[in-house]
Amino acid sequence: MKWLYGILCLFFLIIFHEFGHFLAAKLFGVKVESFSIGFGPVLLHRTVKGTDYRLSLIPLGGYCGMKGEKDFQKAIEEKLPEIQAEPDSLYGIHPFKRALIGFAGPFFNFIFAIIACAFINGIGYTYYTYSNKILITDNLPSSAARDAGIQSGDIIIQINNKKIFDFSELIEEVSVRPDEDLKIIVDRDGELLEFNVHSEMDKSSGSGKIGVAADTSKVLKKEAPTYSFFPAIYHGFTDAIKSVGITIKSIGILFKGVDMNNAVSGPARVTELLGSTVKEGFSAGLKVGFVSLMSLMSVISISLFIMNLLPIPILDGGLILIALIEIIIRRRINPRIQYYVQFIGLAFIALIFIIGLKGDIFYFINRGK
């Protein structure tokens, strides 16, 4: 059942993405010939104002079929020097409008992340953690904190400019800063001491660590702050922006020797994770389930936002890049050039897919042992 939950969640995010393209195409005068919920054989359909709205068999996303999308292929086959397009087609409008249509899909993923984070900030949630008093145990193979002079029993109250009030905040701040110099302030028996700690990078996940453990002698129950409507939206926006920064940084970390099999999730693992979050979260309560689901879906939505904006042909970012180049040079790019460039994009997408698929296979094999 959890797989069904995961498929439905991922399905919603993709449809929301395609709806962004749909609205932008309508706004800029491109005829939308079809808008489908799902792929494959059409189960139900109805044409309204020239658009065929469809419900298709396979619930793995959807698509927004715009007039003139195949004009590029036609230009390649007929060896035309430029794409011949009608005024109400994708390649017939001004390149700037075409770029905005390409941007609208990823932008809607960003909008969803803001909405999800706003809901979380609006309803609040309870979480359990430990104090910011740390331990450095002998079974840790290495400890950057110990090497810098931090001791067991110290209370970490600040990392760089961020105040730390519990162990969850400590982990959150350190995990997004692998292989970085951190200025850590501790309270040692009432005396404030400052240490410079260079964080290590966990090769299996790409997250940062400083080699400390929590003092688990006491569990703390904490309530996240709740906000009224407009402050919740503001904090939802700032949380989404923060997530964008972390995601971009995470992509860079992938090229620093991280174990790709573990760090890059394919569609199977993402679907399984979404399904597990729904099943386990809602079994603990409606509020807990909703917050857990919105939190994870916002992270995935931000990832879709970033990945689709990469300047790679066949992705939205490739469409945007070509449009911007045409704006700068003030003429259309030869479709043959675009065709050859697409091979680079296809190779990149294939590589990411293979890495993700390989990681999924190893993940489920190891979990079954």
Side-chain angles (χ1 to χ4, degrees):
M1 196 66 178
K2 67 181 179 181
W3 283 95
L4 177 60
Y5 295 146
I7 289 171
L8 289 175
C9 291
L10 203 57
F11 165 74
F12 174 80
L13 291 177
I14 296 172
I15 286 296
F16 204 72
H17 173 101
E18 293 299 323
F19 189 60
H21 290 311
F22 171 83
L23 289 181
K26 290 281 191 180
L27 178 63
F28 295 121
V30 173
K31 182 180 179 181
V32 179
E33 296 178 330
S34 60
F35 185 82
S36 177
I37 297 176
F39 289 103
V42 177
L43 302 177
L44 298 170
H45 75 101
R46 184 176 181 181
T47 301
V48 180
K49 295 183 179 180
T51 300
D52 189 29
Y53 296 92
R54 303 170 179 173
L55 178 64
S56 300
L57 179 63
I58 306 172
L60 295 177
Y63 57 87
C64 175
M66 290 174 274
K67 182 178 179 179
E69 286 185 297
K70 296 181 179 180
D71 288 344
F72 169 74
Q73 187 62 37
K74 181 180 178 182
I76 292 295
E77 292 173 355
E78 298 180 4
K79 299 181 180 180
L80 300 176
E82 66 177 43
I83 298 172
Q84 303 294 326
E86 296 181 28
D88 62 343
S89 65
L90 182 61
Y91 290 97
I93 60 174
H94 191 278
F96 183 69
K97 292 180 179 180
R98 189 162 72 248
L100 290 177
I101 291 174
F103 178 73
F107 180 67
F108 259 54
N109 287 129
F110 180 69
I111 292 296
F112 175 81
I114 295 175
I115 294 171
C117 292
F119 268 114
I120 294 172
N121 282 286
I123 65 176
Y125 56 93
T126 302
Y127 66 98
Y128 296 88
T129 185
Y130 302 108
S131 73
N132 46 344
K133 181 179 179 180
I134 58 95
L135 301 176
I136 300 178
T137 59
D138 294 333
N139 59 0
L140 290 172
S142 64
S143 173
R146 178 177 56 205
D147 295 342
I150 295 176
Q151 302 175 5
S152 287
D154 286 348
I155 301 172
I156 295 181
I157 61 173
Q158 184 172 315
I159 298 177
N160 290 347
N161 296 318
K162 173 71 180 296
K163 297 290 185 181
I164 303 297
F165 297 100
D166 57 51
F167 197 76
S168 294
E169 293 182 352
L170 188 157
I171 292 296
E172 180 182 348
E173 191 66 19
V174 172
S175 63
V176 298
R177 303 183 184 281
D179 195 24
E180 289 188 22
D181 291 323
L182 307 176
K183 184 175 74 173
I184 298 179
I185 297 177
V186 307
D187 180 339
R188 181 180 295 170
D189 299 324
E191 181 182 4
L192 299 184
L193 302 173
E194 182 179 311
F195 298 92
N196 292 315
V197 180
H198 188 82
S199 64
E200 301 173 339
M201 183 172 68
D202 186 340
K203 296 290 186 180
S204 66
S205 65
S207 61
K209 59 181 182 178
I210 57 173
V212 299
D215 178 1
T216 59
S217 60
K218 183 179 180 181
V219 178
L220 304 179
K221 180 181 179 181
K222 292 203 166 187
E223 297 287 339
T226 58
Y227 301 95
S228 57
F229 184 76
F230 288 109
I233 293 176
Y234 169 76
H235 284 280
F237 176 76
T238 56
D239 288 346
I241 290 292
K242 181 180 178 181
S243 185
V244 169
I246 292 173
T247 303
I248 293 174
K249 190 174 184 179
S250 299
I251 294 173
I253 291 171
L254 292 177
F255 300 97
K256 292 186 176 181
V258 176
D259 180 6
M260 292 284 192
N261 290 331
N262 190 62
V264 178
S265 297
R269 209 182 331 175
V270 171
T271 304
E272 198 262 353
L273 181 59
L274 276 167
S276 297
T277 300
V278 174
K279 185 177 180 180
E280 295 170 10
F282 281 98
S283 65
L286 183 62
K287 188 175 181 179
V288 173
F290 183 77
V291 168
S292 300
L293 178 60
M294 288 295 101
S295 179
L296 180 57
M297 286 184 71
S298 70
V299 171
I300 295 174
S301 199
I302 288 295
S303 296
L304 291 173
F305 168 68
I306 298 297
M307 291 301 294
N308 275 284
L309 285 179
L310 292 177
I312 299 169
I314 80 172
L315 293 180
D316 295 324
L319 181 69
I320 296 170
L321 177 64
I322 296 298
L324 293 179
I325 292 174
E326 289 183 352
I327 292 172
I328 294 171
I329 66 176
R330 297 185 179 182
R331 61 183 177 86
R332 293 184 181 275
I333 296 178
N334 190 303
R336 180 63 58 177
I337 296 175
Q338 296 185 48
Y339 176 76
Y340 288 128
V341 172
Q342 276 194 343
F343 282 111
I344 301 174
L346 286 170
F348 180 83
I349 295 299
L351 176 63
I352 294 297
F353 179 80
I354 291 170
I355 292 173
L357 182 62
K358 181 183 175 184
D360 285 355
I361 292 171
F362 277 102
Y363 171 78
F364 288 110
I365 288 176
N366 292 331
R367 201 179 66 167
K369 291 180 180 179

